Amino acid sequence: MSETTTLTTTPTTAPATVAATTALLVGVYRDALGVADLDEQGDFYENGGDSLTAFQVTARLQDALGVEVPVSLVFAYPTPADLADVVHTDLLQG
């Protein structure tokens, strides 16, 4: 008889501040882009971002925040600081 393991993910509590959301996004960008020294003003495109990477970023944000982040926001707001402001204001507090 075989056992089946079901993995469930529970979103973490949404960051309370824009600064916390920015810190989360910096980490997501660093991981997705493979740029260890990327900071809050690091541009998605200038650091090698493409459409596949944008989908990876939004999937990681959805897992971390429990809200759907449209991939178009990554293209419209290419720095972690800019994207964090929009995500925090419009999606987390909206």
Side-chain angles (χ1 to χ4, degrees):
M1 186 176 271
S2 65
E3 283 186 42
T4 303
T5 303
T6 303
L7 297 175
T8 57
T9 57
T10 304
T12 59
T13 304
T17 64
V18 173
T21 304
T22 302
L24 171 68
L25 272 158
V26 167
V28 168
Y29 272 46
R30 285 177 179 171
D31 288 344
L33 295 168
V35 179
D37 61 347
L38 187 135
D39 65 13
E40 64 189 28
Q41 295 303 319
D43 187 275
F44 179 77
Y45 303 109
E46 291 174 6
N47 286 286
D50 57 22
S51 59
L52 179 59
T53 310
F55 279 103
Q56 292 171 347
V57 166
T58 58
R60 291 175 187 190
L61 288 176
Q62 183 171 339
D63 288 346
L65 302 174
V67 296
E68 186 173 334
V69 178
V71 74
S72 61
L73 291 180
V74 176
F75 297 126
Y77 303 95
T79 69
D82 291 341
L83 183 56
D85 188 43
V86 171
V87 167
H88 189 80
T89 303
D90 294 351
L91 301 178
L92 298 177
Q93 294 185 341

